[in-house]
Amino acid sequence: MISAPEAQAAPAVSLSGVTFHYPGSTAGVFDITLDIMPGELIVCIGPSGCGKTTLLRLIAGFLKPDAGSIRLGSDDVSALPPRARECGVVFQAYALFPHMRVWENVAYPLRVRNVAPAERRQRAEEMLKMVGLTGLHDRLPAQLSGGQQQRVALARALVFKPRAMLLDEPLSALDAATRVVMRDEIRRIQRGQNIATMLITHDQDEALSLADRIVVLRDGRLAQVAPPQEIYDRPKNAFVAGFVGRANLLDGTVLDGETVDTPIGHLATRPHGMARGNAIRLLVRPERIEIAADAAGENIVAAQVLRDRFFGSSRRIEVAAGTGRLEIETAARDRVANVRVPRDAIQFLRSN
């Protein structure tokens, strides 16, 4: 996480009121204001078409905003081309030159900047050592695994000491095991370079485990920006709650200051201060629901198992309860006949 001195520094990347429309379409991003601090790793998530890649391309300079400003450090770069912005970019397709050796791929940004041949080879080999590819500098990309190609792409993005690093779904082409390893490697390298980074992903586990802060986009607008635990534990609204992680979302009606009526029955909650009759929406995360030994007690409801999936260390169970349904995630092996919803597991949400 970011240290206190870094958190007080000026942003490395700053977007203020950034808007971009694709011609002839309603798609784009709208009024985006966001800072990325030095050394911070921001992960951007959201449904397909929400504007994640558009936002990255605006920062990189491949698109120019219709309104608002983009700053790198103290410089307004809104109108500058990509080369002048000095951002390191890694796309989903690593775009390595197949005819160039590994070190030549890494050194290519230095070559176009007219760095002397001896220095660019030295710097390329230093970067290859940093990303764990010592001894592979003379291979061709086709002779590398997917994870090794990813490391080459990272080394190339960092070799010219960019002002920010932008990663567009960099792990999506890898198998699950390699993805986990590379997730840790990206974090290690990013921290070692202390570089402001934005990473785009569709993988929520990736987002939650990597990010200093998560940016959730919806229809081109910021839905919530917060650290991973806050996004998960205190989502701003029902959209964020349903999009990040698994969620039980229950519509209900307030009965009194500590009781609500829901499709699964009456539930006791923490004091909420809402008036009787108010329509509300509740969030209960599946891992907070408990299997109950008997039918007596607060917030215990009868449950009929509809689906029970075993994952080794956990089970994901879907049950019918009252006129509603619940998803449960548990390590318990017990038979499920009743479940308990602890009152402190119930959150009240805004609808949007």
Side-chain angles (χ1 to χ4, degrees):
M1 302 295 287
I2 303 172
S3 67
E6 289 171 325
Q8 297 168 3
V13 180
S14 184
L15 289 78
S16 179
V18 170
T19 294
F20 174 84
H21 292 87
Y22 287 99
S25 169
T26 59
V29 295
F30 310 99
D31 195 26
I32 301 293
T33 295
L34 175 70
D35 290 339
I36 308 176
M37 305 306 293
E40 184 178 27
L41 196 158
I42 291 277
V43 178
C44 189
I45 62 175
S48 296
C50 70
K52 301 184 295 295
T53 296
T54 298
L55 189 60
L56 181 144
R57 292 173 69 85
L58 283 162
I59 297 171
F62 301 120
L63 299 173
K64 293 184 180 179
D66 299 325
S69 65
I70 301 170
R71 305 184 76 88
L72 294 175
S74 60
D75 301 325
D76 188 332
V77 300
S78 307
L80 294 182
R83 167 82 180 274
R85 298 196 188 192
E86 295 286 296
C87 290
V89 184
V90 178
F91 290 107
Q92 181 177 350
Y94 310 136
L96 302 179
F97 297 109
H99 62 287
M100 289 185 182
R101 290 170 291 176
V102 163
W103 79 265
E104 292 171 320
N105 267 281
V106 174
Y108 185 76
L110 303 177
R111 176 180 166 185
V112 299
R113 288 166 175 80
N114 297 315
V115 174
E119 182 183 349
R120 61 180 188 246
R121 174 142 194 174
Q122 177 187 350
R123 287 170 61 178
E125 292 189 352
E126 288 172 356
M127 290 303 303
L128 288 169
K129 180 179 180 180
M130 186 192 73
V131 300
L133 292 180
T134 301
L136 302 183
H137 52 276
D138 281 329
R139 292 193 183 181
L140 294 173
Q143 297 172 306
L144 303 179
S145 68
Q148 289 169 334
Q149 290 182 38
Q150 170 66 272
R151 292 169 192 256
V152 175
L154 285 170
R156 184 177 62 184
L158 290 167
V159 72
F160 62 97
K161 300 179 181 177
R163 304 175 77 173
M165 184 162 63
L166 308 171
L167 309 173
D168 190 359
E169 299 196 55
L171 305 180
S172 61
L174 303 177
D175 63 79
T178 305
R179 206 158 49 233
V180 171
V181 172
M182 284 307 304
R183 185 188 301 169
D184 294 340
E185 279 297 281
I186 285 175
R187 194 54 163 143
R188 176 186 68 81
I189 293 164
Q190 184 266 341
R191 280 178 169 162
Q193 296 293 295
N194 193 40
I195 185 170
T197 300
M198 173 181 279
L199 183 147
I200 290 173
T201 184
H202 279 93
D203 186 324
Q204 294 181 18
D205 289 341
E206 195 173 291
L208 290 167
S209 65
L210 270 176
D212 290 311
R213 287 187 297 156
I214 293 176
V215 172
V216 183
L217 282 177
R218 182 187 190 188
D219 297 330
R221 300 182 184 276
L222 295 178
Q224 188 170 358
V225 182
Q229 187 169 336
E230 182 176 338
I231 290 278
Y232 189 83
D233 289 341
R234 295 185 297 282
K236 188 176 180 180
N237 53 43
F239 168 76
V240 175
F243 186 77
V244 180
R246 287 172 289 277
N248 294 295
L249 298 174
L250 302 172
D251 292 315
T253 304
V254 173
L255 297 179
D256 60 40
E258 294 185 45
T259 313
V260 297
D261 181 34
T262 77
I264 67 170
H266 293 181
L267 295 177
T269 72
R270 289 175 291 189
H272 51 70
M274 287 185 282
R276 178 181 176 86
N278 275 11
I280 47 89
R281 193 154 224 208
L282 305 176
L283 163 67
V284 183
R285 294 292 186 187
E287 67 273 14
R288 298 297 309 277
I289 298 174
E290 303 167 357
I291 298 174
D294 55 53
E298 181 180 84
N299 288 0
I300 292 179
V301 298
Q304 178 185 356
V305 174
L306 302 175
R307 184 165 57 172
D308 189 345
R309 291 171 293 173
F310 179 65
F311 291 92
S313 61
S314 67
R315 294 159 70 195
R316 292 180 189 167
I317 309 167
E318 184 179 354
V319 302
T323 60
R325 293 189 178 193
L326 292 172
E327 290 187 9
I328 304 166
E329 185 166 345
T330 179
R333 303 295 197 263
D334 309 43
R335 185 178 72 87
V336 180
N338 300 283
V339 297
R340 175 175 176 266
V341 183
R343 68 165 67 201
D344 65 358
I346 302 169
Q347 298 183 54
F348 290 79
L349 294 175
R350 287 166 37 192
S351 60
N352 52 45

